[in-house]
Amino acid sequence: MPTTTVEEIEKVETSKSKKSELLLDSLEIKGYRCFKHLTIEKLGRVNLIVGKNNVGKTALLEAISIYINRGNVQNLIHFLETRNEAQRSIEQSSNRSVLIDLSFKTLFTSNSETSHNTKDLSIKGNVNTNAETLLLSFPELRSKDGKLTDIARKLSETSKMFSEDEGAVIEIKYIKEKSGEFDLEYYNVLNNSLFVEKKKLVNFPNVFIKVESLRNNELLILWDDTNKNNLIEYAINAMQLLKGSIKDISFIGVPSGSNNLIPHVGIVGKPTKLPLRRFGDGMTRLLGLSLALSSCRNGILFIDEIETGLHYSILPDVWKLIFKTARDLNVQVFATTHSYDCIEAFAQAAIDDEKSDGMLIRLARKDEQIKAFTFDEKQLETITKEHIEVR
Amino acid sequence: MAIQKRVLLVEGINDLHVIKNLLIAHGIEGQIEIRDKQGISNILATLKTEVDANQDFLGIVVDANSSLDSRWQSLIDRLKDKEIGYAKVPAEPVENGLILKGQGFLPKLGIWVMPNNKLVGKIENFIRLLVAEEKENLWLIVEKVVSEIPAEEKLFADKDIIKAQVHTFLAWQDEPGRPMGESITRRYFQTDAPEALNFVEWIRKLFELA
């Protein structure tokens, strides 16, 4: 019987993954933060989101992450906390759940005072070419005749801390439009508990890299994952963009009393391994990026302000690496940037890599409206050739 | 207020230099990015990309090479196309240059048809309108000489006669044969000729420059 190597399987897999087989190929967001209604009809494999300050670049990453994690509550709370929104009313109450209750509404309600009634958040996408919708809402707890609704009854039976206050319960529903399959959960913000009505669907692997570089322990988790899948080569290739003589990477404990394992690299011709941080922030960023890429196989990677810590001169190589790895490992990438150098490097890499599927997404705001403009490879070619500035 | 983006698209490198030098002479060049699109067909083909990339101001300067109306028609057809979607685009060229207010996410947009939104022509016809009064006589001589070239020696097409005239005129100055763009600020042209002022006024209004 002929044996098939891992490499051969990979080749078959990647040649089959045509552009239409992206994990997520279109998106419609209603009622998330600044987005009253945002439609992106066509996504690419590697997507770079640009736009002026305060047009919702990070919010778009968040919305996609919330969607792809199917409304996972911990993920929602995490996004509130990273924006310091969970601490908004800390002086009024030391009760953490109340804080979360208050701040959840800031996720849903659009900034505008006038749209006070839109408290539902819906994100609809095409996942593996099938329409799937995530719906977050505050369910009715009492019907018109004054009786508790079914769900309110269930929640009040299962939890002593049930409250009818507006915003105390969030309904999380994820629907596969075609088959009708769905997940349905209720989150009680007062006691931080989840009432699971129905939960079957499996999540996709995904990692969110924020502006701050990943911490050592976060890197370690990704490294373990990457190591397990024999993909460390990708990380080493990435770091060689900054320093060609790096030959391996390992996590080593230090005798300083801290039980953290610290990333170290081996250098050609040097007998001892050196701590990664010695080579600057860019190196740590690059390691995080490449480890995250390889642990998001068949999933999605989010990178906020991708240019952070990276000198503009290596951006073309960074993008080249991302395009190649994303294709090899079937990862869909969503990144944001403020840097025009970064946009130029992205466009050039997208053109150079003929099999790539890059999409530049420009968010623009007019008054309360936010709109997404997409630039596919053909348009990216025009942009690069004629030096059209998109930002 | 964030820096506003003011982009002017032109058909060729000569147009770019002439307009650039004219705007320098009027002290407003630094605020406008002028880009050579290498022809009207590329302007039309990439208009959506330009409009999507530019949120603030977009100006377009085109030649009326053959027929003023057909050139105009192709441009407004593209602007009205639902892919781009400007409304209220006039059916005829506008004497002082078209200016369309920004609509929704579309940039404020202007169109100038060389030389003056009325005549058929191109950048050389515009230059002709800027010839200094005291050089009018020389220009008449140029016209005469160019028209007297024997048929067997005349290699250029009739539609290019204005180009032959302008370059002949430039060849007969104190420093013969300087390029058009650079010549425009020399004393044999008037950067404050009425047609030049009209154009500059259109630029100021479109890009909201004082």
Side-chain angles (χ1 to χ4, degrees), chain A residues 52 362 364-366 369-371 373-375 379 382-383 386-391, chain B residues 2-3 5 33 35 37 42 46 48-56 104-106:
Chain A
K52 292 176 183 170
R362 168 177 168 257
R365 179 195 286 270
K366 266 267 139 75
Q369 237 6 18
I370 292 172
K371 190 174 167 179
F373 296 93
T374 54
F375 301 86
Q379 288 171 298
T382 306
I383 284 168
E386 302 189 20
H387 303 286
I388 300 175
E389 195 185 288
V390 183
R391 58 163 118 191
Chain B
I3 297 168
K5 249 167 78 182
E33 177 192 334
R35 259 190 291 114
K37 297 290 290 186
N42 189 42
T46 60
K48 173 152 176 62
T49 305
E50 296 281 0
V51 163
D52 283 356
N54 286 284
Q55 214 183 347
D56 305 313
F105 284 89
L106 294 169

